[in-house]
Amino acid sequence: MELDSLARSEFAPQTTYLNTASTGLLPARTVAAMGEAVAASAAGAPTDMFGDVEAARATYARLAGVPVRRVAAGASVAVYTGLVAASLPEGAEVLVAEADFSSVVNPFHMRRDLKVRTAPLERLAEAVRPGTALVAVSAVQSADGRIADLAAIGEAARAHGTRTLVDVSQGAGWYPVDADAYDFTVTVGFKWLTTPRGVAFLTVPDDLGGLTPVFAGWVAGEHPWDSCYGPVEELAHSARRFDESPALFSYTGARYSLALVEELGTERIRAHNTALADRFRAGLAPLGYEPVAAPGSAIVAVPGLGHRQEELSRAGIELSNRAGNLRAAFHFYTSAEDVDRLLDLLPAR
């Protein structure tokens, strides 16, 4: 099915929705699956929601380009970033990008015995140096859509024996994710992957990255139903040892949301999203506005216009005010008409 036709069949927003960088819309198939699961649970005959967790994990593994054994299922980026932070030795140096999303950087600052160093996003690769234990960065910046030069960062990290942690929350679903190129990746699902909240994934190397599963509960056991009481005697041999006890209804929905993204294909989604973003950028020029430079991004941030977010929301257009920028995010349920409606409501300078 064509992308536009599928989007119309799965989504019916009552607004001009350009706010996926905050929260993605839920597909109809996801809403239906969650409703059925809730009704079944209320009737005392719950569906196999743990099976849904495994189906979601497997689909995400394919989207991320790694074997399913390297994917952990949880609920938030901060928890998984904290897990990586907890694994570092005392005095380790961590390099992060200036003004990156707090869930990526804050867990390292909470370790007072770590040395956290900051560099501009565009200079992150050259800031990697001997002794840098880890570089942590968002693939796509939340505030303004700038895309990190992950190839250069990865090359510099390998040259210095530095590990890499990449948050793909603002990319997974439209920007190609090659999780195999990094030691760790993290993402939430409720943005571009259009899952409900309460869904997040961590990818780890084959050797599990030296992480200690400090929050391991019964689901982290190799045989979870035999790990319900007392210490877990045998942790999962895969990344599942880093699972959080899942938000089951959310994962039931996630199974169908991720299947939709896989059905459409990241490259097709990317082409659609970036074409609309480019249309918006081109339309800003005659109005006298210059967006933050972020070529190839599905996120467009316009400095000095963030204060108009509430006004535009009242007019039926949903966007975000981030760091003073008016942030628009274009996804597969966005149309050219949506872009033009926003441009029509922006005053010329």
Side-chain angles (χ1 to χ4, degrees):
M1 184 181 294
E2 290 298 319
L3 188 148
D4 288 345
S5 298
L6 188 56
R8 283 194 297 271
S9 69
E10 290 285 351
F11 301 96
Q14 302 302 303
T15 63
T16 298
Y17 195 79
L18 305 174
N19 204 22
T20 299
S22 291
T23 304
L25 299 179
L26 294 178
R29 64 180 72 182
T30 298
V31 174
M34 293 178 73
E36 291 169 8
V38 169
S41 292
T47 57
D48 179 14
M49 289 185 281
F50 284 100
D52 294 330
V53 175
E54 296 313 311
R57 187 197 316 271
T59 304
Y60 182 74
R62 292 191 296 272
L63 291 170
V66 295
V68 69
R69 67 178 181 275
R70 291 173 52 185
V71 178
S76 78
V77 161
V79 166
Y80 280 139
T81 306
L83 179 69
V84 175
S87 75
L88 296 172
E90 182 179 349
E93 179 182 278
V94 180
L95 176 64
V96 300
E98 285 181 354
D100 208 337
F101 197 73
S102 61
S103 295
V104 181
V105 302
N106 198 56
F108 300 106
H109 285 279
M110 293 298 98
R111 280 274 313 265
R112 302 302 183 187
D113 58 344
L114 297 179
K115 300 173 184 176
V116 183
R117 191 161 55 90
T118 302
L121 180 69
E122 294 78 9
R123 298 175 57 188
L124 203 62
E126 64 188 76
V128 180
R129 64 190 183 188
T132 303
L134 178 80
V135 56
V137 65
S138 294
V140 181
Q141 293 293 296
S142 171
D144 52 30
R146 287 176 299 148
I147 298 174
D149 188 348
L150 295 179
I153 293 168
E155 183 179 355
R158 287 187 294 274
H160 293 291
T162 300
R163 290 203 144 184
T164 48
L165 167 65
V166 179
D167 176 13
V168 297
S169 295
Q170 292 292 1
W174 72 269
Y175 190 77
V177 175
D178 179 12
D180 195 43
Y182 318 105
D183 293 285
F184 310 105
T185 71
V186 290
T187 189
V188 292
F190 67 85
K191 298 180 185 292
W192 306 88
L193 292 170
T194 69
T195 77
R197 285 181 178 266
V199 173
F201 298 102
L202 164 74
T203 66
V204 300
D206 271 319
D207 66 2
L208 305 182
L211 301 180
T212 300
V214 292
F215 53 75
W218 71 280
V219 295
E222 178 66 13
H223 306 288
W225 294 108
D226 295 331
S227 302
C228 294
Y229 307 105
V232 176
E233 295 184 0
E234 184 181 8
L235 287 169
H237 303 164
S238 67
R240 195 168 53 75
R241 64 172 54 193
F242 307 120
D243 274 18
E244 296 180 77
S245 188
L248 290 176
F249 292 113
S250 292
Y251 271 90
T252 291
R255 173 179 189 166
Y256 294 92
S257 292
L258 293 168
L260 173 62
V261 172
E262 185 176 37
E263 180 182 341
L264 292 173
T266 301
E267 286 298 336
R268 186 156 60 136
I269 296 171
R270 181 185 186 183
H272 174 87
N273 293 5
T274 55
L276 294 179
D278 287 345
R279 184 185 185 97
F280 182 50
R281 290 187 185 95
L284 287 169
L287 296 175
Y289 299 106
E290 184 175 352
V292 174
S297 182
I299 298 172
V300 181
V302 190
L305 275 182
H307 65 284
R308 292 195 171 271
Q309 180 265 324
E310 292 186 3
E311 169 192 335
L312 289 166
S313 181
R314 289 192 294 271
I317 300 182
E318 293 302 324
L319 309 102
S320 292
N321 178 1
R322 290 293 184 271
N325 302 320
L326 185 68
R327 186 185 69 181
F330 305 95
H331 206 12
F332 49 65
Y333 37 66
T334 310
S335 67
E337 289 74 21
D338 294 331
V339 176
D340 295 343
R341 181 164 186 239
L342 171 58
L343 288 169
D344 287 343
L345 290 178
L346 293 179
R349 272 187 168 171

